[in-house]
Amino acid sequence: MQARSRATGITAASLGVLLALAACSAPGDSDSEKGSGSGPIKIAIVDAQSGQLASLGDWEAKGAKLAISEWNKKGGIDGRKITATVFDDQGDPTTGTNIARKLASSGYIAMIGTSESAVTVAMAPTLGEAKIPNITSGQSTALVAQKSSFLFLNGPTSITYDSTLADYMVKTGGYKKIAMISNNGSYGTGEHDAFTAALKEEGISPVADQVVTTDQKDFSAALSHIRQAGPDAIFIGSEEVEAGLIVKQARDLGIKVPFAGGAPQGTPVFIDTAGAANVENTIVSSPYLSNEADAASQKFAAAYKAAYGKDAELHGAKAYDGANILLTALKTSKIATGQKLADAIRATRYDGLLGDFKYDATGVGIFKTTIGIIKGGKLEAAQ
């Protein structure tokens, strides 16, 4: 759902298991038992558990673990328990690559994660060579460009998020003078390019286009330039924390127009960082707007709250859907591994919290988002 904490070296702690549903010494841990038909089914959950992307990783790990727990309570798959181990990629491609090597040598048959597209892209060659299917929460078109038959997305790409957003802003909102501020990371770059293309389709060029760094904290220069351009709305292509800081500083500079963006702008972290009053009327494009959207969302949110004592949101829902897709494919394929498991995932049709998944050859399975507006500190469906 995508500023980073960068590792300068790989330590045992950074590659170690942070959380697990079962002991690592359980039967089935050895390479020889990978897909052998006995022992636990080993799945890895890889996401940032530290650094500025830790909130994303925490949400997604919880969503995936919830789905796995529900399957285990029903007996697992063909009588075999599913074990999930969480690894901290720190939002760093180098750390992710080292984790991918560990998964390839340790008997994991599938991976859920990561939320950071650059990390997923870095891991893809190793996972592909090892024939380990990966259901990722990233949304960059760079994921599709990998052309890996083992890489699947559990949500739409930036193209879907931003074409929906631009269409609403221009045709429904009537905004014509739109400014942009995005970061130079994988998520920000993907959002920048997708939204610029979407605006072009609407016949609009941004009145200002500012790019900041992922670790930047002072945005006064970029925001002053935007203020001088006199926009009637501002698009943000940045993760939750940085986006919240941008909005807060914009309001301090007297910029009063609405902000707009993708999934990060619909999260509690964004709202809390910026301040609820500052994000009022923010426009958000997302496939999961509310825990109250329908009966399935309400059931998921209740189970998430019961398990973790926290409210669910989009990223947890994405990982929950992704885990259920993987487990359904394992069930229908009789716990296949490698290419057969990847083929089973691609063939899976799943009615999820985010919508109806039907994978194409690119590894994308859903092509729709909905527009929400933040009102009173909460994201609500646009009227």
Side-chain angles (χ1 to χ4, degrees):
M1 166 200 229
Q2 235 46 251
R4 293 176 188 77
S5 174
R6 295 295 179 189
T8 57
I10 305 303
T11 65
S14 68
L15 293 180
V17 175
L18 296 182
L19 298 167
L21 294 181
C24 292
S25 59
D29 271 10
S30 68
D31 291 348
S32 63
E33 290 191 83
K34 176 180 176 179
S36 66
S38 64
I41 303 166
K42 292 180 62 176
I43 295 172
I45 300 171
V46 182
D47 251 311
Q49 301 296 307
S50 59
Q52 287 201 35
L53 297 180
S55 57
L56 277 176
D58 183 58
W59 288 325
E60 296 196 349
K62 283 180 168 60
K65 290 194 298 176
L66 177 62
I68 291 167
S69 174
E70 290 174 348
W71 278 71
N72 279 331
K73 287 178 181 178
K74 296 177 182 178
I77 300 175
D78 292 349
R80 294 174 63 183
K81 186 177 181 180
I82 307 133
T83 65
T85 305
V86 179
F87 295 87
D88 181 8
D89 64 39
Q90 302 176 10
D92 175 63
T94 300
T95 304
T97 299
N98 281 275
I99 292 173
R101 295 188 184 116
K102 182 178 180 68
L103 303 187
S105 65
S106 302
Y108 289 90
I109 67 170
M111 172 182 143
I112 300 169
T114 70
S115 61
E116 172 57 42
S117 295
V119 179
T120 301
V121 168
M123 297 178 73
T126 301
L127 295 176
E129 185 177 351
K131 297 184 178 181
I132 298 175
N134 175 19
I135 300 185
T136 176
S137 292
Q139 64 188 61
S140 171
T141 54
L143 298 167
V144 175
Q146 295 300 300
K147 297 182 178 179
S148 171
S149 62
F150 294 93
L151 184 57
F152 303 87
L153 279 66
N154 62 16
T157 67
S158 292
I159 292 173
T160 297
Y161 279 94
D162 294 329
S163 60
T164 302
L165 182 63
D167 181 80
Y168 177 87
M169 291 178 71
V170 175
K171 294 178 180 176
T172 302
Y175 300 107
K176 303 298 183 183
K177 299 177 65 179
I178 300 172
M180 298 175 58
I181 181 169
S182 52
N183 69 38
N184 61 358
S186 61
Y187 174 77
T189 299
E191 286 293 285
H192 173 277
D193 294 349
F195 190 72
T196 301
L199 282 184
K200 186 176 181 180
E201 289 291 322
E202 301 293 340
I204 289 179
S205 296
V207 297
D209 185 357
Q210 295 290 298
V211 177
V212 299
T213 65
T214 57
D215 57 355
Q216 197 163 328
K217 299 294 187 295
D218 183 355
F219 308 99
S220 56
L223 291 170
S224 293
H225 185 87
I226 287 174
R227 182 176 59 184
Q228 291 173 4
D232 52 19
I234 302 171
F235 169 83
I236 305 181
S238 182
E239 294 87 349
E240 290 83 353
V241 174
E242 185 174 72
L245 292 174
I246 288 171
V247 172
K248 187 177 187 301
Q249 292 178 33
R251 299 306 187 218
D252 290 342
L253 286 173
I255 298 174
K256 298 180 180 179
V257 300
F259 282 86
Q265 281 67 63
T267 64
V269 170
F270 167 72
I271 295 171
D272 291 344
T273 302
N278 291 330
V279 298
E280 188 74 2
N281 295 320
T282 294
I283 306 164
V284 180
S285 175
S286 174
Y288 186 90
L289 293 180
S290 168
N291 293 330
E292 303 297 325
D294 51 36
S297 298
Q298 293 169 13
K299 181 179 179 182
F300 160 71
Y304 189 101
K305 186 68 174 280
Y308 308 116
K310 298 181 179 180
D311 291 330
E313 49 70 74
L314 166 67
H315 299 89
K318 285 177 70 176
Y320 182 85
D321 275 353
N324 273 303
I325 291 168
L326 169 60
L327 298 175
T328 298
L330 282 167
K331 178 69 174 179
T332 58
S333 68
K334 299 187 182 300
I335 317 181
T337 61
Q339 188 64 59
K340 289 184 179 180
L341 177 55
D343 292 342
I345 294 171
R346 198 176 308 280
T348 298
R349 304 293 178 262
Y350 182 73
D351 183 11
L353 298 170
L354 274 64
D356 294 331
F357 284 83
K358 183 179 180 182
Y359 284 102
D360 64 12
T362 71
V364 180
I366 191 167
F367 301 85
K368 181 181 178 181
T369 63
T370 303
I371 296 297
I373 309 291
I374 295 180
K375 297 286 187 182
K378 293 185 178 180
L379 185 61
E380 302 176 354
Q383 301 300 315

